[in-house]
Amino acid sequence: MGKQIECKNCTLGYEGVPVTEGINFTVNSGDYLCILGENGSGKSTLIKSLLGLRPVMKGDIDWCEAKHGEIGYLPQQTVVQRDFPASVREIVISGCMAKGKFHPFILKEDKERAAKAMEQLGITDLEKHCYRELSGGQQQRVLLARALCASGKILLLDEPVTGLDPKAQNDLYEMIAKLNKSGMTIIMVSHDIHAAVKYASHVLHIGSKKQLFFGTKEDYVNSKLGQSFINSEEAEHDE
Ligand code: ADP
């Protein structure tokens, strides 16, 4: 249960303007952290900062013992990405390049890694299919397999079920939970409180301009904040 990430009193933002402040949390090996918050609260900004794609304005992000090549990333999807003209296998195998080893030809170990990732996500039968002809749920599984190729230990997922129908959402959540049970650390941005309650071990809730909660899922569910977020989401759902 080693410590993998420590975020210490971070201020994050753009061009010198803070989006959110006082971000403090720790992720241990095997945790499943769900990052909750309203639209625009800074969840994606935090993921980008964790990946080093955005500078930290104040504070420090410590990746502890995690190494390059142990971290996989599934970005938020856009319509353009969904239209990508490549085969499933090509996309999955391109995850191996994200490990920082670029070769002009595909290595045997990369092929094996891609085959294993496709098997884990139940998409082996689709390997020769064109990505843009797949359903949204299948496309997300392909991108998750790609992230798995890049990662041995930690997956960062930004709103992975966006745009999927309820069954495909559920299937993807179950697959992510299975990866977590097999030892993979998961950090997932979501505004889906039900997924957080069902699957996560820890919750980080970001509010307007600051962190509102970090702790175990159980403590979050029993907190005033957790209760009011659950109730407000349920009210929205019932409308
Ligand atoms: P969330 O993921 O919680 O919806 P984001 O992290 O995407 O929120 O955005 C947080 C805030 O940062 C928003 O107000 C957004 O407008 C702003 N923001 C996001 N990306 C940029 C950018 N590239 N430049 C300037 N501001 C940005």
Side-chain angles (χ1 to χ4, degrees):
M1 286 296 280
K3 199 187 282 182
Q4 284 180 322
I5 307 170
E6 197 169 8
C7 190
K8 300 177 215 165
N9 208 15
C10 286
T11 300
L12 311 173
Y14 298 89
E15 321 298 338
V17 181
V19 166
T20 187
E21 297 178 56
I23 304 291
N24 276 292
F25 65 90
T26 304
V27 177
N28 289 313
S29 175
D31 283 355
Y32 188 145
L33 174 68
C34 188
I35 305 174
L36 295 171
E38 307 293 327
N39 275 344
S41 56
K43 303 181 296 297
S44 295
T45 306
L46 171 59
I47 290 283
K48 286 179 193 150
S49 302
L50 287 174
L51 287 162
L53 299 172
R54 298 275 341 144
V56 175
M57 290 171 69
K58 223 175 87 184
D60 185 35
I61 293 172
D62 184 356
W63 271 95
C64 306
E65 282 164 23
K67 295 178 197 74
H68 186 70
E70 293 181 344
I71 303 150
Y73 172 44
L74 179 58
Q76 214 171 0
Q77 292 311 294
T78 66
V79 174
V80 177
Q81 282 166 303
R82 294 211 180 281
D83 206 23
F84 200 68
S87 76
V88 165
R89 186 167 170 276
E90 283 165 341
I91 290 185
V92 174
I93 224 161
S94 72
C96 297
M97 292 169 192
K99 282 165 69 67
K101 308 175 299 171
F102 181 76
H103 301 280
F105 49 87
I106 298 168
L107 297 178
K108 187 166 168 266
E109 63 179 75
D110 291 342
K111 283 186 198 164
E112 287 168 0
R113 214 178 156 84
K116 189 172 167 226
M118 287 191 282
E119 196 187 315
Q120 273 178 290
L121 291 173
I123 54 170
T124 306
D125 291 353
L126 300 176
E127 73 172 320
K128 295 204 173 85
H129 287 232
C130 185
Y131 175 77
R132 66 179 166 201
E133 282 155 15
L134 304 180
S135 71
Q138 289 170 328
Q139 287 188 337
Q140 282 304 77
R141 285 202 233 172
V142 172
L143 295 179
L144 197 53
R146 181 183 185 278
L148 269 186
C149 269
S151 160
K153 295 192 173 157
I154 307 171
L155 280 179
L156 279 84
L157 313 172
D158 195 346
E159 302 268 15
V161 304
T162 302
L164 304 187
D165 64 52
K167 178 171 183 317
Q169 289 194 12
N170 195 51
D171 288 351
L172 200 69
Y173 280 139
E174 289 291 336
M175 268 171 202
I176 296 165
K178 214 163 128 192
L179 292 172
N180 177 242
K181 285 206 178 78
S182 71
M184 182 78 73
T185 304
I186 307 288
I187 300 177
M188 179 178 77
V189 167
S190 178
H191 49 245
D192 184 345
I193 181 70
H194 298 290
V197 168
K198 188 161 176 196
Y199 299 107
S201 62
H202 293 77
V203 170
L204 171 69
H205 189 145
I206 307 176
S208 165
K209 304 249 177 241
K210 62 175 191 211
Q211 174 173 322
L212 298 178
F213 179 91
F214 169 68
T216 64
K217 185 248 310 269
E218 289 75 19
D219 284 350
Y220 180 71
V221 168
N222 290 321
S223 70
K224 257 189 178 166
L225 174 71
Q227 286 292 324
S228 72
F229 200 57
I230 292 168
N231 292 338
S232 68
E233 290 294 303
E234 273 169 6
E236 204 170 288
H237 208 250
D238 291 344
E239 268 167 21

